[in-house]
Amino acid sequence: MTTDALVDVSVVINGTLRRMTVHPGDTVLQTLRDDLGLTGTKEGCVEGECGACTVLLDDEPVDSCLLATAAVDGRRIRTVESLSTGDELGPLQKAFLDHGAVQCGFCTPGFLMTLTALLEHNPTPSRSDIREAISGNICRCTGYSQMIEAVVAAADGEEER
């Protein structure tokens, strides 16, 4: 019988340095949800296909279900919880609500993180840019047109007025 040696990891999560000891096989998704109580990141397919578990790793969207926590030592992670301040939703979150881009809400955190990265890299994306950005995320409820409209509105600053 073999036992995996535990791994010490230091990672900045939503702006806060977290030091933790994890098993080598623990995923970022498991660590966020089970160890840190950050349940906004959802577990969907656990195969990197649906995008429900998307977080930003050093400002780039990644599937947290496929990423070992041991591999993020010294890096930065942002989750959907980072998009709001207290009870105040961020502009993209507001746009999702205003444009009917949220139905069951299960996929929403992954879409929000993917689209946050898009807007940070490209503040005025075309509809084609938006469609390409969300190609790794699956929604079974809304279709995608409401999400595209929400991103266009957020990019135009409509949600800040």
Side-chain angles (χ1 to χ4, degrees):
M1 179 177 180
T2 62
T3 21
D4 293 329
L6 296 177
V7 178
D8 291 325
V9 177
S10 294
V11 59
V12 175
I13 300 175
N14 297 335
T16 301
L17 178 62
R18 304 282 188 134
R19 290 185 172 93
M20 54 200 136
T21 302
V22 299
H23 290 95
D26 289 353
T27 65
V28 169
L29 175 63
Q30 292 168 319
T31 301
L32 290 171
R33 291 183 59 79
D34 301 341
D35 299 339
L36 300 176
L38 295 170
T39 58
T41 304
K42 303 301 180 202
E43 180 178 314
C45 67
V46 194
E47 295 178 356
E49 295 294 326
C50 73
C53 68
T54 302
V55 298
L56 300 186
L57 177 65
D58 297 331
D59 301 324
E60 296 297 327
V62 297
D63 295 319
S64 64
C65 71
L66 299 178
L67 184 60
T69 304
V72 299
D73 187 44
R75 301 188 68 190
R76 292 176 297 112
I77 293 175
R78 284 189 289 160
T79 69
V80 70
E81 287 89 352
S82 72
L83 300 182
S84 60
T85 306
D87 292 336
E88 183 68 26
L89 297 177
L92 185 56
Q93 291 170 307
K94 289 177 188 174
F96 260 55
L97 289 175
D98 291 347
H99 292 270
V102 177
Q103 292 204 8
C104 84
F106 193 80
C107 67
T108 304
F111 274 98
L112 287 169
M113 297 314 295
T114 296
L115 293 166
T116 293
L118 172 66
L119 290 170
E120 288 175 356
H121 295 317
N122 179 1
T124 55
S126 68
R127 283 174 166 71
S128 177
D129 294 334
I130 298 165
R131 281 191 292 277
E132 184 176 331
I134 62 174
S135 65
N137 295 75
I138 296 173
C139 175
R140 291 178 173 87
C141 298
T142 67
Y144 299 90
S145 60
Q146 300 96 321
M147 291 183 200
I148 293 168
E149 294 307 315
V151 176
V152 169
D156 287 345
E158 290 177 20
E159 302 309 315
E160 295 174 4
R161 293 181 203 151

